[in-house]
Structure formats: structure tokens, C-alpha cells
């Protein structure tokens, strides 16, 4: 393999047999080396092949300024997340999570600890991703000897949520806030708490999270169920009243009018989660 670019003493860019650029990491792998020279295969510890060129470019830029141990810790966490979640992750997580861990370590060295006001909600709505975040805090403690606050588990969890959906960090955070607010409206309307372990609760929260994503990205269902909604209004008056409160909140906060189909689905999910009260 031939060196195409030296980033630092521990990282170089080369190309594989198909001419695709790869990032090679290893302690002192590029020491004394120049472009066009052979790579010392025995010094390669890690190989990164990111298929998206834009992501590859961002990751390359990141490698110039981030210590190798931070990159390796991020990779270990991502590998754990892939196994735990069993889902495809957008490659951008290699950039975003590495950058987050590096920034968090720097913040903690300066005594700056950020609190996450939605930590408990993220833990409830994204249980598997939050479990990955908790494991990440353990890995960072073990590998870097830095005891991050548990709030970091929630921040890290959202990076995995975003990598699953291919969305931005801010979107996942906003989705959590909207989901929490809608859940609170239903709780207030029925003066109750819910069994968060139940299948009906899981279905309800899943629907609300996807609804919040559509709301924030400007997508919505067309008005195709007005007649069926009229039936639901009569049959499930309390549930429709609750759905209407949610509609009022969404319109006031986001200038977004719920379609008949969206109101129908909300009413149906509220009926399902409250039917045994």
C-alpha cells in the first residue's frame, strides 16, 4: 500500500487495491515517511473505510486534531452500539461521536460539566440507545481514566438515535421534548400514569416520536380519512378531545395543522393506551 497523505505521526491516508482511499492508524506509522512511500503493514492497528466521501473528508479533518486514544474509544463504543442495537448506523456517527467524546474530555479537563435536562426522558423513550450511552461512559472511564457525568450517557444516546435515522443531533433532542410534552398532555387529560413496560405504551411512544420527526421535517399525512375520523369522534369522544388538545399545542408552537389522518392515528393510539383505565 502506498502513502497518499500523512495526517500525523499515527495516521495516514492510503488506497486499497480498488483505488478507494482508506485511513490507516498505528503508533508511529508515518514517522519519517513521505507521500509515495510504502506503508509499513506491521504498524497498522486500525483501518477505516468510510464509503461516503463527505463523511470521509470530515473524519480526515477530525483525525488531524484528535488524539488517537479518543478515536479508538469512539470506535469501541460504536462497535458495541452496533451489536446492542442490531441496526444499520449512518457513517456520520464516526465523525459526530468522536468529536463529542473529544470535546467532552476537553470540557471535563476545564471543569465544565454540561447537564442534560432531558436525560430521564431520553432514558425512557430510547432505552436501548441510552443503555449504549451508559456503556460508553464505562468505556471512557476504563480507557481514558475520566469519570464523565451520567448526563453524558444521554448525549451519547442521541448520537446513536440520529445515526439510526440519519438525522441531526438537534432533531433528536427536539423530538424528545415534543414526545415528552404530548405524553404530559395525555397524562393530564386522564389524570394518570402509564405502565412504561407495556406494549401499548411502547406503541404509543413510537408513534409520537415518528409524528414529532414528521412535524420537525415538514412532512405530514394527507387528509384522506375525514369520514373515518367523524366515526372516531362519535365513538371515542374523550380520546378525540385529548388528540385535539395535542393538535392545539402543535399549531400554537409549530404553526402546523394536523391532518385528519394524523388526528385519526393519534386518537386510535390514545384509545389503545387508555382503554383499561
Amino acid at each position: 500500500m502506498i502513502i497518499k497523505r500523512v495526517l500525523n505521526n499515527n495516521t495516514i491516508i492510503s488506497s486499497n487495491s480498488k483505488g478507494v482511499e482508506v485511513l490507516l492508524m498505528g503508533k508511529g506509522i508515518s514517522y519519517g515517511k513521505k507521500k509515495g512511500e510504502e506503508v509499513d503493514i506491521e504498524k497498522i492497528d486500525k483501518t477505516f473505510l468510510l464509503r461516503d466521501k463527505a463523511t470521509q473528508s470530515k473524519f480526515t479533518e477530525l483525525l488531524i486534531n484528535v488524539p488517537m486514544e479518543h478515536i479508538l474509544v469512539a470506535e469501541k463504543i460504536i462497535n458495541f452500539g452496533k451489536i446492542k442495537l442490531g441496526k444499520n448506523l449512518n457513517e456520520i456517527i464516526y465523525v459526530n461521536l468522536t468529536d463529542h467524546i473529544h470535546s467532552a474530555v476537553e470540557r471535563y479537563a476545564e471543569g465544565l460539566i454540561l447537564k442534560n435536562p432531558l436525560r430521564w426522558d431520553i432514558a425512557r423513550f430510547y432505552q436501548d440507545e441510552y443503555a449504549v450511552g451508559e456503556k460508553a461512559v464505562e468505556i471512557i472511564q476504563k480507557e481514558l481514566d475520566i469519570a464523565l457525568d451520567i448526563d453524558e450517557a444521554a448525549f451519547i444516546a442521541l448520537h446513536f438515535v440520529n445515526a439510526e435515522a440519519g438525522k441531526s443531533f438537534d432533531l433528536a433532542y427536539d423530538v424528545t421534548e415534543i414526545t415528552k410534552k404530548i405524553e404530559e398532555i395525555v397524562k393530564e387529560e386522564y389524570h394518570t400514569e402509564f405502565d412504561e413496560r407495556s406494549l401499548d405504551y411502547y406503541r404509543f411512544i413510537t408513534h409520537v416520536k415518528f409524528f414529532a420527526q414528521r412535524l420537525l421535517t415538514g412532512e405530514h399525512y394527507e387528509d384522506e380519512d375525514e369520514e373515518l375520523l367523524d366515526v372516531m369522534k362519535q365513538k371515542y369522544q374523550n380520546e378525540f378531545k385529548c388528540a385535539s388538545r395535542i393538535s392545539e399545542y402543535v399549531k400554537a408552537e409549530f404553526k402546523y395543522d394536523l391532518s385528519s389522518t394524523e388526528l385519526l392515528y393519534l386518537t386510535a393510539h390514545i384509545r389503545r393506551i387508555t382503554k383499561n383505565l
Side-chain angles (χ1 to χ4, degrees):
M1 300 179 76
I2 303 299
I3 297 174
K4 295 187 67 176
R5 181 182 171 191
V6 174
L7 297 183
N8 52 45
N9 284 340
N10 303 312
T11 314
I12 62 176
I13 296 178
S14 182
S15 58
N16 61 19
S17 59
K18 296 181 179 179
V20 178
E21 286 191 353
V22 293
L23 297 168
L24 305 177
M25 296 185 66
K27 192 171 183 180
I29 191 173
S30 58
Y31 184 75
K33 294 283 188 179
K34 297 179 181 178
K35 179 180 177 180
E37 294 184 349
E38 287 280 345
V39 177
D40 187 345
I41 303 298
E42 293 183 355
K43 288 188 176 182
I44 299 175
D45 292 328
K46 293 289 180 183
T47 301
F48 290 91
L49 172 58
L50 302 178
R51 303 186 185 281
D52 181 75
K53 288 186 177 181
T55 302
Q56 176 93 325
S57 177
K58 291 175 184 176
F59 192 55
T60 300
E61 185 179 345
L62 197 63
L63 293 181
I64 297 173
N65 301 307
V66 175
M68 185 166 70
E69 56 265 31
H70 295 182
I71 297 164
L72 297 179
V73 163
E75 186 205 16
K76 182 174 286 190
I77 293 168
I78 291 168
N79 288 339
F80 174 81
K82 287 179 178 178
I83 295 170
K84 172 69 176 176
L85 301 174
K87 299 176 181 177
N88 292 326
L89 301 177
N90 190 297
E91 289 182 339
I92 197 65
I93 194 170
Y94 285 96
V95 175
N96 293 342
L97 185 61
T98 302
D99 186 48
H100 178 88
I101 290 172
H102 176 60
S103 299
V105 170
E106 287 191 328
R107 279 193 284 103
Y108 272 70
E110 297 173 1
L112 300 174
I113 301 175
L114 298 180
K115 291 295 182 181
N116 192 327
L118 293 179
R119 177 168 75 87
W120 289 111
D121 300 300
I122 293 167
R124 290 190 304 125
F125 301 150
Y126 301 103
Q127 294 181 17
D128 290 339
E129 290 83 359
Y130 185 75
V132 174
E134 288 183 313
K135 183 65 176 181
V137 171
E138 291 180 17
I139 292 173
I140 292 168
Q141 167 78 64
K142 181 180 178 181
E143 301 291 332
L144 302 178
D145 195 27
I146 296 174
L148 297 182
D149 193 85
I150 193 60
D151 283 51
E152 289 294 337
F155 287 123
I156 291 171
L158 289 185
H159 283 294
F160 282 90
V161 173
N162 296 326
E164 291 168 343
K167 305 296 184 181
S168 70
F169 182 90
D170 289 341
L171 182 71
Y173 201 83
D174 291 341
V175 165
T176 304
E177 286 192 306
I178 294 169
T179 302
K180 178 184 178 182
K181 178 60 180 178
I182 291 176
E183 182 194 39
E184 287 175 349
I185 290 173
V186 180
K187 285 180 177 179
E188 289 173 6
E189 189 71 24
Y190 286 87
H191 308 288
T192 189
E193 295 291 331
F194 297 117
D195 180 3
E196 296 180 5
R197 299 165 299 178
S198 71
L199 180 59
D200 286 337
Y201 179 82
Y202 171 79
R203 287 170 174 162
F204 173 73
I205 291 300
T206 299
H207 173 77
V208 172
K209 286 190 294 188
F210 280 117
F211 164 72
Q213 284 184 14
R214 292 196 305 275
L215 168 63
L216 293 168
T217 56
E219 302 171 11
H220 61 87
Y221 290 132
E222 298 299 326
D223 277 305
E224 297 178 347
D225 293 287
E226 291 184 9
E227 292 183 7
L228 186 54
L229 182 61
D230 286 337
V231 174
M232 293 284 278
K233 284 182 189 179
Q234 300 301 319
K235 190 171 184 180
Y236 304 118
Q237 295 182 19
N238 291 335
E239 291 83 352
F240 178 75
K241 177 186 173 187
C242 185
S244 297
R245 275 193 61 188
I246 294 170
S247 178
E248 291 168 4
Y249 151 70
V250 169
K251 186 169 185 177
E253 291 293 322
F254 303 98
K255 306 297 186 289
Y256 182 101
D257 291 310
L258 267 65
S259 67
S260 59
T261 301
E262 287 166 329
L263 271 173
L264 177 69
Y265 284 152
L266 261 179
T267 302
H269 279 284
I270 292 169
R271 168 62 184 171
R272 176 175 284 170
I273 199 174
T274 60
K275 64 185 177 184
N276 294 322
L277 296 179

